[in-house]
Amino acid sequence: MSVLLNQVRDRLRTLHYSLRTEQAYLDWIKRYIRHHQLRHPQEMGQSEIEAFLTHLAVNRQVSASTQNQAKSALLFLYREVLQIDLPWLKDVVSAKASQRLPVVLTPKEVQQILAELDGVWLLVGQLLYGTGLRLLEGLRLRVKDVDFSLHEIVVRSGKGDKDRVTMLPANIATALQAQIAYAKALHDADLVQGWGEVYLPFALAKKYPNASRDWAWQYVFPSAQRSADPRSGLVRRHHLDEKGMQRAMKQALHATRIPKLATPHTLRHSFATHLLEAGYDIRTVQELLGHSDVRTTMIYTHVLNRGGLGVQSPLDRYGVT
């Protein structure tokens, strides 16, 4: 199995898949092989794939998105690694994902949660709510992509490998400048000690081999410790771990006693909903969020602070006696 998994890993890296996708695909392929008693995938086909996906849905009761990720991993294995493109591959039906309304906080609830955060996690929380960034987009922010003169932030290689521009809230400009000054001092100390490199995407690392030490490419939210890159083994200073913000958000939610299942991503949902409540055009919100399809953004129109679908109940119109 190890030889096959190494082939899968090499192919994923050749095609520049993210580390998280690589880890997920390798895990699903290992599960698939073990489910069928270590048979080689070349010996298996449509019936085995469908049996595995059915097992995930019926016995494991995984979500539709999880089942579809497993399917994508297996299709990658057969098409990209084993070079097997059989007619049945396109006939494997994808599970239909359930439509769920996002959890959204009210402006008062956002204020309560932010009041419970402190230090760098307060700034990260303000950034997520104030800009609509995803958690990893915020933590992976580079110094060069924050423009204080134009009051904007450029998100590089966001979801779908797309760039976009969002606003830089004036209320956090001073705190963000202080955070960047801290990152600069940390980077200068690293350079003196012979370190100072940061991860760059493969294409950029090849095009600009010396850029990894440049100040402009450093993370705004650097980790306090250096660590080895899981792919190359090179020791660098990475960005803050997202688990830190997730824990801080959970503790803040517990302290406020707000009865909602909120996560750092909820701040992004709240950003979008509150902009729509303020009367901003849905296309503008779509651009700020980086959605390819406006229908994705339209889900926030269902959770606006106006009751069900913005309709006034007849009970409220006529009252009760």
Side-chain angles (χ1 to χ4, degrees), residues 230-292:
R231 286 183 169 178
S232 66
L234 294 174
V235 176
R236 302 186 179 105
R237 191 174 293 280
H238 203 51
H239 57 70
L240 289 174
D241 189 342
E242 67 270 26
K243 292 184 179 66
M245 181 58 191
Q246 291 164 350
R247 284 192 297 268
M249 182 77 177
K250 185 176 181 179
Q251 292 168 359
L253 192 67
H254 177 75
T256 59
R257 299 180 182 271
I258 295 173
K260 293 181 178 180
L261 300 178
T263 68
H265 200 69
T266 304
L267 296 173
R268 172 177 161 88
H269 293 322
S270 304
F271 163 86
T273 305
H274 297 167
L275 283 182
L276 291 172
E277 286 178 346
Y280 286 96
D281 181 78
I282 194 168
R283 294 284 182 180
T284 300
V285 178
Q286 177 193 0
E287 290 294 322
L288 292 172
L289 293 174
H291 289 161
S292 298

Side-chain angles (χ1 to χ4, degrees), residues 82-231:
L82 300 178
Q83 299 295 307
I84 298 175
D85 192 9
L86 301 177
W88 54 262
L89 283 172
K90 55 182 131 181
D91 295 332
V92 178
V93 179
S94 297
K96 185 176 181 181
S98 302
Q99 290 293 324
R100 303 291 184 211
L101 293 179
V103 175
V104 172
L105 300 165
T106 66
K108 182 178 179 180
E109 289 171 339
V110 171
Q111 291 177 355
Q112 289 175 318
I113 287 176
L114 292 179
E116 294 295 332
L117 298 174
D118 55 21
V120 69
W121 301 125
L122 169 59
L123 180 57
V124 172
Q126 292 171 325
L127 181 70
L128 300 184
Y129 176 64
T131 63
L133 297 183
R134 299 175 178 89
L135 176 54
L136 277 178
E137 289 175 343
L139 296 182
R140 290 172 176 166
L141 197 61
R142 312 269 183 165
V143 172
K144 67 181 184 61
D145 295 323
V146 180
D147 194 320
F148 290 98
S149 60
L150 294 178
H151 307 288
E152 67 180 28
I153 291 174
V154 181
V155 182
R156 304 285 183 185
S157 300
K159 191 173 183 180
D161 198 27
K162 296 177 296 184
D163 294 351
R164 72 179 191 278
V165 177
T166 188
M167 76 284 283
L168 169 58
N171 284 344
I172 66 169
T174 301
L176 199 55
Q177 287 172 330
Q179 173 62 29
I180 291 176
Y182 163 76
K184 181 68 164 65
L186 205 59
H187 178 58
D188 289 344
D190 281 346
L191 290 174
V192 170
Q193 298 173 35
W195 301 98
E197 286 194 11
V198 70
Y199 167 79
L200 294 181
F202 179 77
L204 289 173
K206 288 201 71 176
K207 187 174 182 180
Y208 307 109
N210 298 318
S212 61
R213 290 177 177 269
D214 286 352
W215 164 235
W217 286 99
Q218 303 303 308
Y219 292 118
V220 172
F221 297 102
S223 172
Q225 296 85 30
R226 293 183 290 269
S227 58
D229 188 298
R231 286 183 169 178

